[in-house]
Amino acid sequence: MTNERRVLVHPDKQSLGASVAARFITKIIDVIEEQDYASVVLSGGSVSTLVLAAINRSEARDSVDWSKVSFWWSDERWVEADSADRNDKQNGIDLLDHIGVPAENVHRFGAVGDFASVDEAAAAYIAELKDFAQGDDESPRFDITLLGVGPDGHVASLFPDKPQVSALEPTVLTIADSPKPPPERLTLSLPAINNSQRVWMILAGAEKASSLGLALAGAGADQVPVAGVKGRKRTVFFVDQDAAAEVPEQLIASSY
């Protein structure tokens, strides 16, 4: 299948979350039926909470066989495992703690206290990605990657004008000076993110309109990292009306 890029616009933030949640459940069921497992990449931020909480509230939540779903992370803050700053901590509160997913299916980044340094934690995650890679790949071919996008166009912990954006290998990178606290982080590189079959980016709010418009107008990934994201099969921007303010009309899809 050739890669498709679509923008789906929703009236408001609440309908956006509900729509992505419903599509996620439907697609995960389809993927499991086709290949008997599914792999998902999660991220942090308010839109992640929006979507995961909506999945958890859905009456269709338990129609998914969660024992066949594995979870990975696009990035993580280099803090203690029980810190409220951890993406996986919030993702647990929003969804994972409620669905009975087996512990061995949850692939968390290492935390302060687990490893002597952030570099050791990165090396361990690289090894884990390779253990679950298909064929000669360096990382799994994730089935769905859910990403938020910052007002500056950053995705995961890949920030504008930082050298990590230009990494060419599907690997795990460390960040020492994140523009957003905490400063130390781990993140998948763009090639690792792009080894996803489907990348779903979720944007809400007028402050996201400029970066989305730039990305769709052909800006480079160095300037707007989200512009460098491209799933193997499909790349979808799920946005609310405010975030869609600068999207050219011809790029807005009527359906998924």
Side-chain angles (χ1 to χ4, degrees):
M1 183 186 295
T2 57
N3 180 276
E4 301 176 34
R5 218 176 198 200
R6 299 186 179 185
V7 180
L8 297 175
V9 182
H10 301 77
D12 52 45
K13 190 173 181 179
Q14 287 67 38
S15 61
L16 169 64
S19 175
V20 177
R23 293 175 190 275
F24 177 88
I25 290 170
T26 299
K27 178 53 66 177
I28 284 295
I29 291 172
D30 289 346
V31 170
I32 292 172
E33 184 174 320
E34 178 182 342
Q35 61 189 29
D36 204 39
Y37 70 92
S39 57
V40 175
V41 178
L42 302 178
S43 60
S46 60
V47 294
S48 177
T49 288
L50 176 75
V51 170
L52 297 186
I55 294 171
N56 190 47
R57 289 193 303 269
S58 172
E59 294 182 358
R61 184 196 74 179
D62 294 335
S63 61
V64 176
D65 184 350
W66 295 106
S67 71
K68 296 184 177 181
V69 183
S70 62
F71 291 93
W72 301 79
W73 273 264
S74 66
D75 65 318
E76 189 54 273
R77 287 82 177 267
W78 179 241
V79 292
E80 290 78 9
D82 61 353
S83 170
D85 284 336
R86 293 272 301 189
N87 290 335
D88 61 14
K89 183 78 168 179
Q90 187 61 51
N91 296 157
I93 293 169
D94 296 331
L95 177 64
L96 298 189
D97 294 347
H98 309 283
I99 56 176
V101 61
E104 62 269 22
N105 290 13
V106 181
H107 303 276
R108 305 178 192 276
F109 279 104
V112 171
D114 296 334
F115 294 92
S117 69
V118 67
D119 292 321
E120 287 188 14
Y125 212 67
I126 289 170
E128 195 165 1
L129 289 168
K130 288 181 178 179
D131 284 345
F132 288 87
Q134 286 90 3
D136 294 330
D137 288 356
E138 295 294 305
S139 62
R141 294 183 185 179
F142 306 113
D143 293 299
I144 300 178
T145 291
L146 297 171
L147 289 177
V149 180
D152 59 356
H154 84 266
V155 291
S157 284
L158 299 168
F159 295 93
D161 302 317
K162 295 290 186 181
Q164 291 84 359
V165 178
S166 302
L168 300 178
E169 299 298 322
T171 190
V172 177
L173 306 168
T174 60
I175 311 292
D177 57 349
S178 165
K180 295 177 62 179
E184 286 191 287
R185 299 177 176 219
L186 303 109
T187 185
L188 297 183
S189 64
L190 276 177
I193 290 171
N194 291 344
N195 208 29
S196 307
Q197 302 286 45
R198 305 158 191 86
V199 181
W200 295 2
M201 286 171 283
I202 305 116
L203 299 87
E207 70 276 11
K208 309 291 180 71
S210 178
S211 60
L212 177 60
L214 286 170
L216 295 172
D222 287 344
Q223 179 187 3
V224 188
V226 64
V229 176
K230 187 176 183 181
R232 296 171 67 95
K233 288 184 176 181
R234 183 169 289 178
T235 309
V236 184
F237 295 87
F238 294 93
V239 305
D240 69 0
Q241 197 70 51
D242 290 337
E246 298 184 28
V247 174
E249 187 67 33
Q250 67 270 21
L251 295 181
I252 297 176
S254 58
S255 66
Y256 180 80

